[in-house]
Amino acid sequence: MDAVTRKKTGMRVAAITLAANLGLAAMKLAAGIFGHSSALISDAANSAADVFSTAIVITGLCLAAKPTDESHPYGHERMECAISVILAVILLATGGLIGYNGVLSLISGDYLSAATPNYIAVIAVIVTVAVKETLYRFTISAAKKLNSVSLKASAWDHREDVFTSLGALVGIIGGMLGYKIVDVIASLAICLVIIWAGVKVFLEAVDKMVDRACPPEFTEKLKTALLSIDGVISVDDIKTRVFGDRIYVDVEIGAYEYLTLKDAHTIAEAAHAEIEAFDERIKHCMVHVNPVPSPLGKDYNDIG
């Protein structure tokens, strides 16, 4: 998938997410206030953070899709991972703030004087769960198609929101039954889920930034493909690194030492073309040719 199509698809998903989160944040805040649920108000804060996060995802997709330039000859894909780190920090901060307020409420006993939650909060949670699960399925499908780390982070944020909303529902029902402390405990549980989501997003972003290699089976299949090229006597080394939805490949192949420069170049060009055709995710490759002793010495001067 080319960069323009990838950007358009990602932007469409992000725009739908942004609109949905705006609506959910407003609905949950109102329902939390009129439905007398601190857990739902905490969940509304989470949705508000999601609005900001989605805006950052959109920014990241735009930056990552920028074409190569003199200062960035390999493109701007790393910006997507940098954006994911920012998303992780936002999630951690949101979870920490919710947890802090929940602990204060427990220590002070303020929850005891709070009004009892009502059916308005219950309806809001049911709507939230339905919308968020739909968004998760929609976004994770696009993330897999684009192999986008930021969209995948956004998708898992939707799934975490499903669980946090269910936690809020438990708290609301507990409060309606007269156990107001359950509402506060649910708020604390929501904070832990949000923090865990932030940790997962952060770790995945870091994993993408440290030049992780392709799976061994990928390398073996590529090696077999290179050895099928006329003139390639050996594959001495293959280095791969994955970044976002792109793969970079460096290989060293062996060719007979007394070939002419033109023939050696022809072999290298064939290897280069084979690598680029091997997988559409390969963005850049380098081919180095090592000399291999010729069976006929200097008299051997043929590619085959």
Side-chain angles (χ1 to χ4, degrees):
M1 182 179 294
D2 62 86
V4 175
T5 303
R6 185 173 186 271
K7 178 183 175 181
K8 286 182 178 178
T9 303
M11 291 287 285
R12 180 168 60 89
V13 174
I16 292 172
T17 297
L18 182 63
N21 281 330
L22 274 170
L24 287 175
M27 179 195 71
K28 285 190 283 189
L29 179 61
I33 293 172
F34 295 107
H36 311 301
S37 172
S38 61
L40 193 55
I41 292 174
S42 296
D43 207 14
N46 184 30
S47 290
D50 288 343
V51 172
F52 186 49
S53 299
T54 304
I56 293 177
V57 169
I58 292 174
T59 302
L61 288 170
C62 291
L63 293 174
K66 289 177 62 177
T68 59
D69 54 40
E70 185 176 346
S71 300
H72 305 87
Y74 293 99
H76 299 78
E77 282 91 355
R78 286 188 185 272
M79 287 303 301
E80 194 175 2
C81 284
I83 291 300
S84 294
V85 171
I86 296 175
L87 289 179
V89 172
I90 292 172
L91 287 171
L92 292 171
T94 302
L97 181 60
I98 292 172
Y100 175 74
N101 289 330
V103 170
L104 283 183
S105 180
L106 278 177
I107 293 174
S108 65
D110 288 345
Y111 67 92
L112 294 172
S113 59
T116 302
N118 58 44
Y119 69 93
I120 294 176
V122 174
I123 294 173
V125 171
I126 293 173
V127 172
T128 298
V129 169
V131 172
K132 279 295 185 176
E133 181 62 22
T134 301
L135 283 173
Y136 166 75
R137 294 177 183 275
F138 174 65
T139 307
I140 197 66
S141 175
K144 290 178 179 178
K145 183 178 180 181
L146 303 179
N147 195 21
S148 169
V149 63
S150 61
L151 282 183
K152 189 179 293 184
S154 182
W156 278 109
D157 186 40
H158 294 320
R159 175 52 64 84
E160 300 293 348
D161 287 344
V162 171
F163 293 120
T164 57
S165 295
L166 290 174
L169 181 60
V170 171
I172 292 166
I173 293 174
M176 292 175 71
L177 294 175
Y179 302 100
K180 294 182 179 179
I181 193 172
V182 177
D183 195 34
V184 182
I185 292 174
S187 181
L188 292 174
I190 289 171
C191 120
L192 294 176
V193 172
I194 295 172
I195 289 173
W196 174 239
V199 170
K200 286 200 303 182
V201 171
F202 178 79
L203 292 177
E204 183 170 2
V206 170
D207 184 55
K208 293 284 187 181
M209 295 177 74
V210 295
D211 293 340
R212 176 173 49 86
C214 291
E217 54 268 24
F218 178 95
T219 303
E220 286 301 314
K221 289 179 180 179
L222 179 58
K223 180 178 180 180
T224 300
L226 289 171
L227 288 172
S228 68
I229 299 172
D230 285 344
V232 176
I233 308 304
S234 63
V235 176
D236 302 325
D237 187 34
I238 298 180
K239 289 185 176 69
T240 62
R241 57 189 179 96
V242 180
F243 189 80
D245 69 332
R246 293 290 181 262
I247 298 174
Y248 295 81
V249 181
D250 295 322
V251 301
E252 292 186 23
I253 59 174
Y256 287 134
E257 60 185 338
Y258 291 117
L259 291 175
T260 64
L261 177 59
K262 180 179 179 179
D263 286 344
H265 178 72
T266 298
I267 295 171
E269 284 285 295
H272 192 280
E274 181 66 33
I275 293 170
E276 289 190 331
F278 183 76
D279 192 302
E280 64 178 9
R281 295 173 297 167
I282 294 176
K283 178 178 180 178
H284 178 78
C285 63
M286 288 288 291
V287 180
H288 177 78
V289 182
N290 293 324
V292 175
S294 302
L296 300 178
K298 294 184 179 181
D299 294 328
Y300 195 89
N301 193 34
D302 182 66
I303 291 180

